[in-house]
Amino acid sequence: MDDLTEMLKGTLEGCVLEIIGSEETYGYAITRRLNELGFAGVVEGTVYTILLRLERNGLVQVAKRPSGVGPPRKFYALNDAGREELGKFWVKWQYVSSRIDRLKEGGR
Amino acid sequence: MDDLTEMLKGTLEGCVLEIIGSEETYGYAITRRLNELGFAGVVEGTVYTILLRLERNGLVQVAKRPSGVGPPRKFYALNDAGREELGKFWVKWQYVSSRIDRLKEGGR
DNA sequence: TACCACTATACGGTATCACCGAGTAGCGGT
DNA sequence: ACCGCTACTCGGTGATACCGTATAGTGGTA
């Protein structure tokens, strides 16, 4: 699959929220998770910019912990605002994707 | 539904391609069509920038025709390159949307 | 000891995209 | 003469994902 960059704009952040929401985790692992989910081109740098943005916007709670196999990890978990944002993301996704699918199917 | 801007990035152009592909039409009408399809916030300016981009990228064929109810209209139709691009867009959409839906459903 | 691979994060700069606002213009009705 | 609807153009903005580079900890190997 060729470049998905443009199509992921506006959705990748939601995907990261969902991953964090299902389990407290850190940037490097989130990148691996996205890759195995099929978002093969997503690299660390991209995920870290999203995580820093989530932190800046007060949607996550952060805890630094030692790793044992490398530098310390920054673990992320959703707070109340983050869970609310995630809910809104899925509502929006449902809305947009259903309209696009309708357009695809001859669009009435 | 609040602002869909970010989520439409990378997909709105494809939607416009699909609309043009199903019928030769012009900017103002495309905007109305998008609005009635549920993309309520999309305005003329946005659609025109997409159309100019499609033209610049050689994906459409353009014909100016008088209107009777206003200024002349620029009618757009897909050429071969446009049809190919539209095909690629739907493949990509299918790929991305299915992965996101999978993530939503507990994501294995 | 030196090097490399893997793990892990940060950050400045770039390209793309949808949007906004102001401008231009044709037509019909009051 | 004015307003509303139709119709297109264009310069500038903000948000987002990406890229490249730098920094740094751990373990393996020559």
Tab-separated table of all heavy atoms in Angstrom, chain B residues 6 9 26-28 48 52 67 69 71-74, chain D residues 4-12 14-17:
chain	number	residue	atom	x	y	z
B	6	GLU	N	-10.480	18.415	9.913
B	6	GLU	CA	-9.263	17.600	9.966
B	6	GLU	C	-9.497	16.185	9.455
B	6	GLU	O	-8.659	15.609	8.796
B	6	GLU	CB	-8.704	17.578	11.381
B	6	GLU	CG	-8.209	18.928	11.865
B	6	GLU	CD	-7.266	19.615	10.881
B	6	GLU	OE1	-6.486	18.902	10.222
B	6	GLU	OE2	-7.315	20.843	10.758
B	9	LYS	N	-9.416	15.733	5.640
B	9	LYS	CA	-8.161	15.879	4.916
B	9	LYS	C	-7.755	14.556	4.277
B	9	LYS	O	-7.722	13.524	4.918
B	9	LYS	CB	-7.051	16.359	5.850
B	9	LYS	CG	-7.233	17.808	6.208
B	9	LYS	CD	-5.961	18.445	6.683
B	9	LYS	CE	-6.215	19.907	7.015
B	9	LYS	NZ	-5.169	20.486	7.848
B	26	TYR	N	-20.109	20.995	-12.052
B	26	TYR	CA	-19.293	22.188	-11.806
B	26	TYR	C	-19.241	22.517	-10.319
B	26	TYR	O	-20.023	21.971	-9.523
B	26	TYR	CB	-19.855	23.376	-12.603
B	26	TYR	CG	-21.294	23.677	-12.313
B	26	TYR	CD1	-21.654	24.689	-11.426
B	26	TYR	CD2	-22.315	22.928	-12.916
B	26	TYR	CE1	-22.978	24.953	-11.136
B	26	TYR	CE2	-23.635	23.191	-12.629
B	26	TYR	CZ	-23.966	24.210	-11.743
B	26	TYR	OH	-25.282	24.456	-11.457
B	27	GLY	N	-18.319	23.405	-9.946
B	27	GLY	CA	-17.995	23.675	-8.565
B	27	GLY	C	-19.139	23.980	-7.628
B	27	GLY	O	-19.254	23.381	-6.552
B	28	TYR	N	-19.966	24.891	-8.033
B	28	TYR	CA	-21.061	25.312	-7.170
B	28	TYR	C	-22.007	24.147	-6.870
B	28	TYR	O	-22.422	23.941	-5.732
B	28	TYR	CB	-21.817	26.464	-7.840
B	28	TYR	CG	-22.787	27.177	-6.952
B	28	TYR	CD1	-22.358	28.175	-6.075
B	28	TYR	CD2	-24.148	26.870	-6.975
B	28	TYR	CE1	-23.247	28.850	-5.263
B	28	TYR	CE2	-25.039	27.531	-6.161
B	28	TYR	CZ	-24.588	28.522	-5.307
B	28	TYR	OH	-25.476	29.187	-4.496
B	48	TYR	N	-13.444	24.831	-4.736
B	48	TYR	CA	-12.726	25.433	-5.865
B	48	TYR	C	-11.227	25.184	-5.774
B	48	TYR	O	-10.579	24.936	-6.792
B	48	TYR	CB	-13.026	26.928	-5.966
B	48	TYR	CG	-14.440	27.203	-6.390
B	48	TYR	CD1	-15.305	27.966	-5.596
B	48	TYR	CD2	-14.940	26.697	-7.583
B	48	TYR	CE1	-16.606	28.208	-5.982
B	48	TYR	CE2	-16.243	26.929	-7.977
B	48	TYR	CZ	-17.082	27.689	-7.163
B	48	TYR	OH	-18.372	27.919	-7.541
B	52	LEU	N	-9.188	23.337	-8.741
B	52	LEU	CA	-8.008	23.905	-9.397
B	52	LEU	C	-6.823	22.959	-9.279
B	52	LEU	O	-6.015	22.825	-10.194
B	52	LEU	CB	-7.672	25.271	-8.796
B	52	LEU	CG	-8.707	26.367	-9.078
B	52	LEU	CD1	-8.352	27.644	-8.342
B	52	LEU	CD2	-8.817	26.632	-10.576
B	67	SER	N	-24.474	29.861	-18.425
B	67	SER	CA	-25.386	29.303	-17.433
B	67	SER	C	-26.851	29.689	-17.613
B	67	SER	O	-27.738	28.871	-17.429
B	67	SER	CB	-24.926	29.741	-16.055
B	67	SER	OG	-26.001	29.758	-15.154
B	69	VAL	N	-28.503	31.466	-15.578
B	69	VAL	CA	-28.909	32.015	-14.273
B	69	VAL	C	-27.745	32.691	-13.541
B	69	VAL	O	-27.859	32.988	-12.364
B	69	VAL	CB	-29.502	30.935	-13.351
B	69	VAL	CG1	-30.756	30.356	-13.947
B	69	VAL	CG2	-28.460	29.851	-13.102
B	71	PRO	N	-23.088	33.665	-13.926
B	71	PRO	CA	-21.847	33.613	-14.705
B	71	PRO	C	-21.663	32.241	-15.331
B	71	PRO	O	-22.284	31.267	-14.888
B	71	PRO	CB	-20.756	33.880	-13.656
B	71	PRO	CG	-21.447	34.491	-12.513
B	71	PRO	CD	-22.828	33.939	-12.509
B	72	PRO	N	-20.803	32.123	-16.326
B	72	PRO	CA	-20.559	30.826	-16.958
B	72	PRO	C	-20.031	29.799	-15.964
B	72	PRO	O	-19.378	30.144	-14.984
B	72	PRO	CB	-19.516	31.142	-18.033
B	72	PRO	CG	-18.976	32.488	-17.692
B	72	PRO	CD	-20.064	33.205	-16.980
B	73	ARG	N	-20.338	28.542	-16.223
B	73	ARG	CA	-19.906	27.456	-15.340
B	73	ARG	C	-18.717	26.729	-15.947
B	73	ARG	O	-18.622	26.598	-17.164
B	73	ARG	CB	-21.041	26.450	-15.160
B	73	ARG	CG	-22.238	27.033	-14.468
B	73	ARG	CD	-23.446	26.116	-14.660
B	73	ARG	NE	-24.575	26.594	-13.869
B	73	ARG	CZ	-25.838	26.213	-14.076
B	73	ARG	NH1	-26.129	25.362	-15.044
B	73	ARG	NH2	-26.794	26.685	-13.318
B	74	LYS	N	-17.847	26.237	-15.042
B	74	LYS	CA	-16.741	25.394	-15.510
B	74	LYS	C	-17.090	23.942	-15.212
B	74	LYS	O	-17.073	23.521	-14.057
B	74	LYS	CB	-15.441	25.780	-14.807
B	74	LYS	CG	-14.736	26.980	-15.429
B	74	LYS	CD	-13.471	27.341	-14.681
B	74	LYS	CE	-12.341	26.360	-14.915
B	74	LYS	NZ	-11.094	26.775	-14.195
D	4	DG	P	-30.185	40.961	0.757
D	4	DG	OP1	-30.957	40.767	1.998
D	4	DG	OP2	-28.737	41.256	0.791
D	4	DG	O5'	-30.398	39.666	-0.152
D	4	DG	C5'	-31.697	39.346	-0.629
D	4	DG	C4'	-31.604	38.242	-1.667
D	4	DG	O4'	-31.101	38.780	-2.912
D	4	DG	C3'	-30.653	37.107	-1.273
D	4	DG	O3'	-31.290	35.864	-1.541
D	4	DG	C2'	-29.437	37.312	-2.175
D	4	DG	C1'	-30.057	37.957	-3.398
D	4	DG	N9	-29.135	38.806	-4.155
D	4	DG	C8	-28.266	39.754	-3.660
D	4	DG	N7	-27.587	40.364	-4.584
D	4	DG	C5	-28.032	39.787	-5.779
D	4	DG	C6	-27.642	40.049	-7.119
D	4	DG	O6	-26.830	40.862	-7.538
D	4	DG	N1	-28.354	39.242	-8.005
D	4	DG	C2	-29.293	38.303	-7.654
D	4	DG	N2	-29.855	37.621	-8.642
D	4	DG	N3	-29.657	38.053	-6.401
D	4	DG	C4	-28.987	38.829	-5.521
D	5	DC	P	-30.714	34.500	-0.901
D	5	DC	OP1	-31.843	33.764	-0.297
D	5	DC	OP2	-29.514	34.847	-0.114
D	5	DC	O5'	-30.225	33.673	-2.182
D	5	DC	C5'	-31.159	33.409	-3.216
D	5	DC	C4'	-30.433	33.190	-4.525
D	5	DC	O4'	-29.754	34.399	-4.914
D	5	DC	C3'	-29.339	32.101	-4.472
D	5	DC	O3'	-29.710	31.038	-5.338
D	5	DC	C2'	-28.074	32.805	-4.947
D	5	DC	C1'	-28.618	34.032	-5.657
D	5	DC	N1	-27.664	35.169	-5.693
D	5	DC	C2	-27.215	35.642	-6.931
D	5	DC	O2	-27.639	35.109	-7.962
D	5	DC	N3	-26.341	36.682	-6.971
D	5	DC	C4	-25.909	37.231	-5.825
D	5	DC	N4	-25.044	38.251	-5.916
D	5	DC	C5	-26.357	36.765	-4.554
D	5	DC	C6	-27.224	35.739	-4.528
D	6	DT	P	-28.795	29.709	-5.439
D	6	DT	OP1	-29.680	28.597	-5.830
D	6	DT	OP2	-27.966	29.615	-4.214
D	6	DT	O5'	-27.823	30.030	-6.667
D	6	DT	C5'	-28.382	30.230	-7.958
D	6	DT	C4'	-27.333	30.731	-8.930
D	6	DT	O4'	-26.777	31.984	-8.456
D	6	DT	C3'	-26.136	29.783	-9.123
D	6	DT	O3'	-25.980	29.537	-10.508
D	6	DT	C2'	-24.951	30.570	-8.560
D	6	DT	C1'	-25.399	32.001	-8.748
D	6	DT	N1	-24.746	32.984	-7.841
D	6	DT	C2	-23.978	33.980	-8.386
D	6	DT	O2	-23.797	34.096	-9.581
D	6	DT	N3	-23.415	34.841	-7.463
D	6	DT	C4	-23.549	34.803	-6.093
D	6	DT	O4	-22.990	35.631	-5.386
D	6	DT	C5	-24.367	33.735	-5.586
D	6	DT	C7	-24.584	33.594	-4.115
D	6	DT	C6	-24.926	32.875	-6.468
D	7	DA	P	-25.155	28.320	-11.028
D	7	DA	OP1	-25.403	28.164	-12.476
D	7	DA	OP2	-25.456	27.198	-10.105
D	7	DA	O5'	-23.640	28.776	-10.793
D	7	DA	C5'	-22.983	29.539	-11.811
D	7	DA	C4'	-21.616	30.000	-11.371
D	7	DA	O4'	-21.709	31.068	-10.406
D	7	DA	C3'	-20.696	28.988	-10.688
D	7	DA	O3'	-19.853	28.409	-11.693
D	7	DA	C2'	-19.902	29.828	-9.682
D	7	DA	C1'	-20.411	31.241	-9.911
D	7	DA	N9	-20.463	32.070	-8.694
D	7	DA	C8	-21.187	31.851	-7.555
D	7	DA	N7	-21.022	32.765	-6.626
D	7	DA	C5	-20.118	33.642	-7.197
D	7	DA	C6	-19.520	34.839	-6.722
D	7	DA	N6	-19.758	35.352	-5.508
D	7	DA	N1	-18.663	35.474	-7.548
D	7	DA	C2	-18.424	34.949	-8.757
D	7	DA	N3	-18.924	33.848	-9.327
D	7	DA	C4	-19.768	33.235	-8.475
D	8	DC	P	-18.594	27.456	-11.234
D	8	DC	OP1	-18.293	26.659	-12.449
D	8	DC	OP2	-18.864	26.793	-9.943
D	8	DC	O5'	-17.390	28.497	-11.050
D	8	DC	C5'	-16.978	29.266	-12.170
D	8	DC	C4'	-15.936	30.278	-11.751
D	8	DC	O4'	-16.467	31.092	-10.678
D	8	DC	C3'	-14.645	29.663	-11.212
D	8	DC	O3'	-13.571	30.042	-12.070
D	8	DC	C2'	-14.479	30.252	-9.817
D	8	DC	C1'	-15.383	31.473	-9.859
D	8	DC	N1	-15.915	31.856	-8.532
D	8	DC	C2	-15.463	33.031	-7.929
D	8	DC	O2	-14.621	33.721	-8.532
D	8	DC	N3	-15.940	33.397	-6.719
D	8	DC	C4	-16.848	32.634	-6.110
D	8	DC	N4	-17.302	33.025	-4.918
D	8	DC	C5	-17.330	31.420	-6.700
D	8	DC	C6	-16.846	31.071	-7.908
D	9	DT	P	-12.061	29.518	-11.764
D	9	DT	OP1	-11.362	29.447	-13.060
D	9	DT	OP2	-12.139	28.319	-10.889
D	9	DT	O5'	-11.403	30.683	-10.910
D	9	DT	C5'	-11.469	32.025	-11.394
D	9	DT	C4'	-10.613	32.934	-10.511
D	9	DT	O4'	-11.363	33.299	-9.322
D	9	DT	C3'	-9.297	32.311	-10.030
D	9	DT	O3'	-8.238	33.202	-10.356
D	9	DT	C2'	-9.478	32.175	-8.526
D	9	DT	C1'	-10.494	33.260	-8.210
D	9	DT	N1	-11.357	33.015	-7.023
D	9	DT	C2	-11.403	33.956	-6.015
D	9	DT	O2	-10.760	34.986	-6.045
D	9	DT	N3	-12.234	33.642	-4.969
D	9	DT	C4	-13.016	32.511	-4.821
D	9	DT	O4	-13.722	32.356	-3.831
D	9	DT	C5	-12.914	31.560	-5.905
D	9	DT	C7	-13.708	30.304	-5.847
D	9	DT	C6	-12.103	31.856	-6.941
D	10	DC	P	-6.702	32.722	-10.275
D	10	DC	OP1	-6.042	33.255	-11.490
D	10	DC	OP2	-6.637	31.269	-9.977
D	10	DC	O5'	-6.146	33.505	-9.007
D	10	DC	C5'	-6.770	34.721	-8.583
D	10	DC	C4'	-6.301	35.068	-7.163
D	10	DC	O4'	-7.351	34.747	-6.216
D	10	DC	C3'	-5.068	34.277	-6.712
D	10	DC	O3'	-4.219	35.132	-5.960
D	10	DC	C2'	-5.651	33.201	-5.812
D	10	DC	C1'	-6.792	33.982	-5.158
D	10	DC	N1	-7.850	33.124	-4.572
D	10	DC	C2	-8.577	33.608	-3.466
D	10	DC	O2	-8.322	34.728	-3.022
D	10	DC	N3	-9.539	32.826	-2.919
D	10	DC	C4	-9.786	31.614	-3.442
D	10	DC	N4	-10.738	30.884	-2.868
D	10	DC	C5	-9.060	31.113	-4.562
D	10	DC	C6	-8.110	31.895	-5.094
D	11	DG	P	-2.621	34.818	-5.912
D	11	DG	OP1	-1.936	35.607	-6.953
D	11	DG	OP2	-2.435	33.349	-5.862
D	11	DG	O5'	-2.251	35.431	-4.487
D	11	DG	C5'	-2.760	36.705	-4.097
D	11	DG	C4'	-2.876	36.793	-2.584
D	11	DG	O4'	-4.045	36.059	-2.150
D	11	DG	C3'	-1.690	36.189	-1.829
D	11	DG	O3'	-1.342	37.004	-0.714
D	11	DG	C2'	-2.203	34.825	-1.402
D	11	DG	C1'	-3.687	35.092	-1.200
D	11	DG	N9	-4.521	33.908	-1.422
D	11	DG	C8	-4.426	33.013	-2.459
D	11	DG	N7	-5.313	32.053	-2.395
D	11	DG	C5	-6.032	32.339	-1.246
D	11	DG	C6	-7.127	31.648	-0.659
D	11	DG	O6	-7.694	30.625	-1.046
D	11	DG	N1	-7.560	32.275	0.511
D	11	DG	C2	-7.015	33.412	1.036
D	11	DG	N2	-7.548	33.862	2.173
D	11	DG	N3	-5.992	34.069	0.501
D	11	DG	C4	-5.559	33.475	-0.638
D	12	DG	P	-0.067	36.681	0.189
D	12	DG	OP1	0.565	37.974	0.510
D	12	DG	OP2	0.721	35.603	-0.441
D	12	DG	O5'	-0.733	36.118	1.526
D	12	DG	C5'	-1.771	36.870	2.155
D	12	DG	C4'	-2.425	36.051	3.246
D	12	DG	O4'	-3.257	35.029	2.649
D	12	DG	C3'	-1.424	35.308	4.156
D	12	DG	O3'	-1.770	35.564	5.512
D	12	DG	C2'	-1.615	33.844	3.783
D	12	DG	C1'	-3.069	33.818	3.343
D	12	DG	N9	-3.397	32.698	2.465
D	12	DG	C8	-2.791	32.355	1.277
D	12	DG	N7	-3.312	31.296	0.714
D	12	DG	C5	-4.330	30.920	1.585
D	12	DG	C6	-5.247	29.845	1.512
D	12	DG	O6	-5.356	28.981	0.644
D	12	DG	N1	-6.112	29.829	2.600
D	12	DG	C2	-6.085	30.735	3.638
D	12	DG	N2	-6.981	30.571	4.605
D	12	DG	N3	-5.240	31.751	3.716
D	12	DG	C4	-4.390	31.777	2.660
D	14	DG	P	-2.781	31.534	11.816
D	14	DG	OP1	-3.228	32.272	13.007
D	14	DG	OP2	-1.343	31.413	11.479
D	14	DG	O5'	-3.380	30.059	11.899
D	14	DG	C5'	-4.796	29.867	11.847
D	14	DG	C4'	-5.106	28.400	11.984
D	14	DG	O4'	-4.847	27.735	10.721
D	14	DG	C3'	-4.252	27.668	13.022
D	14	DG	O3'	-5.071	26.712	13.684
D	14	DG	C2'	-3.149	27.027	12.201
D	14	DG	C1'	-3.873	26.723	10.881
D	14	DG	N9	-3.020	26.758	9.696
D	14	DG	C8	-1.987	27.612	9.427
D	14	DG	N7	-1.415	27.394	8.259
D	14	DG	C5	-2.136	26.327	7.730
D	14	DG	C6	-1.990	25.649	6.499
D	14	DG	O6	-1.178	25.859	5.601
D	14	DG	N1	-2.933	24.628	6.371
D	14	DG	C2	-3.882	24.302	7.306
D	14	DG	N2	-4.687	23.298	7.008
D	14	DG	N3	-4.025	24.939	8.455
D	14	DG	C4	-3.119	25.935	8.603
D	15	DA	P	-4.433	25.854	14.882
D	15	DA	OP1	-5.385	25.980	15.993
D	15	DA	OP2	-2.997	26.194	15.057
D	15	DA	O5'	-4.506	24.363	14.339
D	15	DA	C5'	-5.687	23.902	13.712
D	15	DA	C4'	-5.412	22.591	13.021
D	15	DA	O4'	-4.679	22.848	11.815
D	15	DA	C3'	-4.574	21.624	13.865
D	15	DA	O3'	-5.272	20.398	14.000
D	15	DA	C2'	-3.266	21.484	13.088
D	15	DA	C1'	-3.656	21.897	11.671
D	15	DA	N9	-2.569	22.553	10.938
D	15	DA	C8	-1.823	23.625	11.349
D	15	DA	N7	-0.916	24.004	10.467
D	15	DA	C5	-1.086	23.121	9.415
D	15	DA	C6	-0.437	22.997	8.172
D	15	DA	N6	0.550	23.803	7.779
D	15	DA	N1	-0.846	22.009	7.346
D	15	DA	C2	-1.836	21.208	7.743
D	15	DA	N3	-2.520	21.225	8.882
D	15	DA	C4	-2.094	22.225	9.687
D	16	DT	P	-4.623	19.218	14.878
D	16	DT	OP1	-5.770	18.432	15.363
D	16	DT	OP2	-3.616	19.770	15.793
D	16	DT	O5'	-3.870	18.341	13.789
D	16	DT	C5'	-4.566	17.938	12.612
D	16	DT	C4'	-3.621	17.233	11.680
D	16	DT	O4'	-2.782	18.210	11.028
D	16	DT	C3'	-2.675	16.263	12.382
D	16	DT	O3'	-2.927	14.951	11.935
D	16	DT	C2'	-1.279	16.738	12.010
D	16	DT	C1'	-1.522	17.632	10.814
D	16	DT	N1	-0.534	18.714	10.687
D	16	DT	C2	0.160	18.857	9.508
D	16	DT	O2	-0.006	18.120	8.558
D	16	DT	N3	1.064	19.888	9.485
D	16	DT	C4	1.338	20.776	10.505
D	16	DT	O4	2.174	21.665	10.369
D	16	DT	C5	0.584	20.580	11.715
D	16	DT	C7	0.791	21.476	12.874
D	16	DT	C6	-0.303	19.577	11.741
D	17	DA	P	-2.257	13.688	12.766
D	17	DA	OP1	-3.334	12.699	12.875
D	17	DA	OP2	-1.554	14.178	13.962
D	17	DA	O5'	-1.155	13.147	11.749
D	17	DA	C5'	-1.540	12.747	10.438
D	17	DA	C4'	-0.317	12.707	9.541
D	17	DA	O4'	0.276	14.027	9.484
D	17	DA	C3'	0.786	11.749	10.002
D	17	DA	O3'	1.177	10.942	8.903
D	17	DA	C2'	1.898	12.681	10.488
D	17	DA	C1'	1.682	13.913	9.615
D	17	DA	N9	2.170	15.153	10.215
D	17	DA	C8	1.906	15.628	11.465
D	17	DA	N7	2.485	16.783	11.737
D	17	DA	C5	3.186	17.078	10.583
D	17	DA	C6	4.015	18.160	10.230
D	17	DA	N6	4.287	19.188	11.044
D	17	DA	N1	4.561	18.145	8.995
D	17	DA	C2	4.291	17.113	8.179
D	17	DA	N3	3.536	16.049	8.390
D	17	DA	C4	3.003	16.087	9.638
